[in-house]
Amino acid sequence: SAIVFPKKIATEQQSLMLVKRLLAVAVSCITYLRGIFPESAYGTRYMEDVCVKILREDKNCPGSTQLVKWMLGCYDALQKKYLRQIVLAVYTHPEDPQTVTECYHFKFKYTHNGPLLDFGRSESPISCADTKRASILLIRKIYVLMQSLSPLPNDICLTMKLLYYDEVTPPDYQPPGFKEAECQGLLFNEEPTHLNVGEVPTPFHLLKLRVTTEKQRMEKVQRDI
């Protein structure tokens, strides 16, 4: 029932497992705290001392089952080092999935051997303690932010877009559950505003999260800050 951090992130496999788990926790927390799926679609886990809700397949909630399948597709692209960005977007008109009201950008970077040397960091190896601290801080920030945003409309739909590192990704690659996008961009009805939530480095991967939402939904957050 606990999401445990390894004592040491010595291999790419350990790092990949941690990034997958962190992605699952982050997506689950966002959908839970934004009220997108019912309580029955989540199980409870602990990440150190933080209680988190984890999305699961629920036969009474086809939407949660679909999102779990999308996540497995993301893992496939992550494992192959093709995945550059996940965009989880909320829209309100089923016939117009390009016009969104809120979206979450997860960005990924990979290194071939050893620690991350770029991305504006010092050239020292990243310790497991740093990764753990950054992971827990990211989840806490998601909790604070989600509880501060004003509610989403009642009837919403979810879509997920994946962006790849084109130089390494085969042109015909699509992970399970995805198809080629007809349109690249996303539009906002109202004026959007962006918030960088945080990043988590490991010796082999870097995960960043940014939120974009309509400006009026962020006003409470700005007042709180």
Side-chain angles (χ1 to χ4, degrees):
S1 67
I3 294 160
V4 182
F5 286 89
K7 294 275 183 286
K8 190 178 175 196
I9 303 171
T11 68
E12 199 167 338
Q13 201 50 43
Q14 287 172 327
S15 170
L16 178 67
M17 184 57 71
L18 187 64
V19 170
K20 283 180 177 179
R21 284 182 183 165
L22 191 57
L23 180 60
V25 172
V27 168
S28 298
C29 286
I30 288 164
T31 57
Y32 181 77
L33 293 164
R34 295 308 271 139
I36 291 173
F37 300 120
E39 187 78 34
S40 61
Y42 298 87
T44 302
R45 295 279 182 277
Y46 284 87
M47 189 171 167
E48 296 299 305
D49 59 340
V50 183
C51 176
V52 291
K53 295 289 186 178
I54 300 289
L55 194 67
R56 59 186 175 193
E57 293 187 69
D58 174 11
K59 61 181 186 304
N60 299 318
C61 180
S64 72
T65 301
Q66 180 63 62
L67 184 50
V68 168
K69 285 180 178 155
W70 287 348
M71 295 296 290
L72 295 175
C74 294
Y75 293 166
D76 186 81
L78 194 56
Q79 221 156 307
K80 291 180 166 79
K81 298 188 189 174
Y82 297 162
L83 188 60
R84 178 165 62 87
Q85 188 176 169
I86 296 170
V87 182
L88 180 66
V90 177
Y91 61 103
T92 51
H93 299 294
E95 69 290 345
D96 182 17
Q98 303 303 327
T99 303
V100 302
T101 187
E102 192 163 284
C103 59
Y104 300 86
H105 316 253
F106 296 88
K107 294 183 181 179
F108 302 90
K109 288 189 177 177
Y110 312 88
T111 58
H112 292 293
N113 41 20
L116 294 164
L117 302 179
D118 45 13
F119 320 133
R121 311 190 156 277
S122 64
E123 295 196 5
S124 57
I126 295 148
S127 74
C128 198
D130 291 340
T131 296
K132 181 172 160 181
R133 203 175 299 117
S135 301
I136 291 168
L137 187 60
L138 180 73
I139 299 306
R140 286 192 169 139
K141 280 184 175 178
I142 290 172
Y143 266 74
V144 170
L145 175 62
M146 296 301 103
Q147 287 166 340
S148 302
L149 289 175
S150 61
L152 288 168
N154 285 335
D155 294 326
I156 58 161
C157 305
L158 277 184
T159 185
M160 187 182 270
K161 284 179 180 279
L162 305 186
L163 289 81
Y164 305 115
Y165 285 103
D166 292 337
E167 60 277 16
V168 293
T169 307
D172 57 350
Y173 171 75
Q174 293 300 339
F178 290 86
K179 61 178 184 178
E180 189 164 350
E182 289 162 17
C183 173
Q184 296 303 311
L186 293 171
L187 305 167
F188 275 80
N189 260 334
E190 307 285 333
E191 186 186 347
T193 186
H194 309 282
L195 200 65
N196 289 319
V197 182
E199 59 181 60
V200 179
T202 86
F204 300 91
H205 299 81
L206 175 74
L207 165 71
K208 288 185 177 185
L209 171 60
R210 189 176 78 165
V211 178
T212 309
T213 189
E214 289 172 347
K215 200 171 181 182
Q216 82 273 9
R217 212 168 281 137
M218 196 72 92
E219 279 166 3
K220 183 175 183 299
V221 179
Q222 284 160 342
R223 279 202 309 272
D224 290 352
I225 290 168

